[in-house]
Amino acid sequence: MPLDFGALRRHPDVEGPGLEAVDAADRLILDEAAGRLAKSEPDAVAVIDDAYGALALGAADAIGADAAHPVRAHQDLITGERALAENAGRLGLAGAVDSLPLAPGLVAGARLVLARLPRPLDRLDEVAALVAGHAASGVVFVAGGRIKHMSLAMNDVLLRHFERVDVSHARQKSRVLVASGARTGAEPGWPRHERHGDLGLEVVAHGGVFAGAGVDIGTRFLLGELGAAMPDAPTAVDLACGTGVVAAWLARERPGVRVVATDRSAAAAASARATAEANGVGDRVEVTQADGLERLAEASERLVVLNPPFHSDAALSTGIAAHLFADAARVLAPGGELWCVWNSHLRYRPMLERTVGPTRQIARNPRFTVTASRRDG
């Protein structure tokens, strides 16, 4: 019986109109790989950057994987990893997929690797380097996506790590790239480091993390105002931390403060941990991969700092910010504050007022607004 892709859900990730758990690109990747899957053993197959389990579960079903012989998979978002586990149980495939970090063990011995093409080219470069450098000799890398999110530069990235790239026919506005002939022996070049003398910080970034080893202009604007943010708070939280710029800056500027940095992205958490170490504050910055502030107790913090993302995959979604604002409100102690920078056109202030509490504007420029929202109680 064919796998029921209609049963897949995004939960616990944001759900809503236009936010689907499976799409035509997932189906095309599996169809293009069907012949190779039919000849594969579970321990020779790996899946990278699957969104909510369509690829990993489709592959597991096709090759008869089970808890004793699972397909290996890595998803960057912890919410995607949890969705895969829920979907596996829903489809009777519990244990058929083993979720692993993005490291050599994920692809060691793999002869077939399936992937969703990430939009950031640096993420594709890091993934392709891992596959070419550590998978089995003769590995085939089958990666696809929606055509509107693909570019010819993706072929160039793959050709840095593979001898050949074949392109599938388009179907339902999706396409697949098939890379083979791995080039071995090259230095992977990840993570990347960049020194920012004006901030006195070194930023370390894995592929795909927002702004890479740079510092985005919204965060720069926020850093210029953070000196006034709850200066007597003994601890601080960098929510949706990305590369950990805010966490490292707070720890350096406030030597007595301990900082918790949290992000749902594995690449972001690894980057933030490396950034803290590179700036000599690793002993005072605790980095966790988590869905928001799920690991922090209610009413436990006086200062939370946030530069909220406003995309879920390729879709614009204010649901992510709403979730993070609500989480900050739960964790803030009475009188505590959420300091937030956001694109001014998003007009988050009414949402912050409703969700967190009285909100005042700290600064505004033509693109960004910095606000402080106080938790009453």
Side-chain angles (χ1 to χ4, degrees):
M1 181 182 297
L3 200 65
D4 181 11
F5 287 114
L8 299 183
R9 288 188 55 193
R10 294 168 57 101
H11 181 270
D13 205 345
V14 176
E15 296 186 299
L19 299 176
E20 305 298 333
V22 60
D23 65 13
D26 294 317
R27 294 183 175 90
L28 183 58
I29 294 166
L30 289 169
D31 286 349
E32 289 290 325
R36 293 182 173 90
L37 283 169
K39 302 173 185 176
S40 297
E41 297 296 327
D43 62 359
V45 178
V47 178
I48 301 176
D49 285 344
D50 188 6
Y52 302 99
L55 293 182
L57 295 173
D61 181 68
I63 60 183
D66 56 26
H69 303 283
V71 167
R72 289 168 285 172
H74 173 78
Q75 291 154 285
D76 183 53
L77 301 186
I78 196 167
T79 46
E81 185 176 315
R82 291 171 180 173
L84 186 155
E86 290 183 11
N87 286 326
R90 192 175 292 116
L91 295 175
L93 290 168
V97 178
D98 187 13
S99 291
L100 298 172
L102 189 72
L106 172 68
V107 297
R111 297 186 176 279
L112 176 63
V113 178
L114 310 184
R116 284 297 299 243
L117 284 166
R119 295 179 73 186
L121 294 177
D122 55 359
R123 174 67 174 185
L124 180 59
D125 186 77
E126 185 168 18
V127 167
L130 180 74
V131 174
H134 296 281
S137 175
V139 64
V140 176
F141 184 52
V142 181
R146 305 292 279 172
I147 291 173
K148 64 182 178 180
H149 300 142
M150 295 173 66
S151 68
L152 289 174
M154 291 177 169
N155 299 51
D156 297 332
V157 170
L158 290 175
L159 286 169
R160 286 205 291 268
H161 303 285
F162 295 90
E163 297 285 349
R164 176 172 175 168
V165 175
D166 295 303
V167 183
S168 77
H169 293 296
R171 190 179 80 190
Q172 293 181 289
K173 301 180 180 179
S174 303
R175 198 181 295 277
V176 166
L177 306 180
V178 180
S180 57
R183 302 176 189 269
T184 59
E187 288 295 325
W190 294 99
R192 291 179 177 167
H193 298 243
E194 184 174 343
R195 181 75 184 174
H196 298 271
D198 58 326
L199 298 175
L201 291 175
E202 181 175 346
V203 180
V204 185
H206 285 273
V209 180
F210 177 65
V215 180
D216 70 281
I217 56 177
T219 295
R220 285 182 178 276
F221 189 44
L222 175 62
L223 293 179
E225 306 297 332
L226 274 186
M230 305 296 286
D232 59 343
T235 61
V237 179
D238 182 4
L239 174 56
C241 65
T243 55
V245 171
V246 169
W249 188 92
L250 281 169
R252 188 199 64 194
E253 293 296 305
R254 303 182 182 189
V257 168
R258 297 192 66 83
V259 183
V260 171
T262 178
D263 202 293
R264 63 180 185 157
S265 161
S271 300
R273 198 170 291 114
T275 293
E277 292 291 341
N279 289 282
V281 293
D283 59 331
R284 290 189 294 111
V285 177
E286 177 188 352
V287 182
T288 60
Q289 185 191 8
D291 185 7
L293 301 177
E294 63 182 346
R295 298 188 182 183
L296 296 183
E298 184 175 341
S300 61
E301 297 291 337
R302 296 190 60 209
L303 175 62
V304 177
V305 182
L306 170 65
N307 181 357
F310 57 96
H311 284 86
S312 181
D313 302 323
L316 183 67
S317 174
T318 59
I320 303 168
H323 169 62
L324 295 174
F325 294 162
D327 225 10
R330 179 187 64 80
V331 165
L332 283 171
E337 291 187 343
L338 169 65
W339 281 59
C340 188
V341 62
W342 37 276
N343 293 72
S344 298
H345 73 274
L346 294 174
R347 300 181 181 179
Y348 279 149
R349 187 165 178 172
M351 187 189 301
L352 287 163
E353 294 267 3
R354 292 192 305 270
T355 306
V356 183
T359 298
R360 65 190 187 276
Q361 179 175 300
I362 302 298
R364 184 184 178 99
N365 67 18
R367 291 192 60 184
F368 296 97
T369 299
V370 175
T371 52
S373 303
R374 179 172 288 264
R375 183 64 170 163
D376 287 338

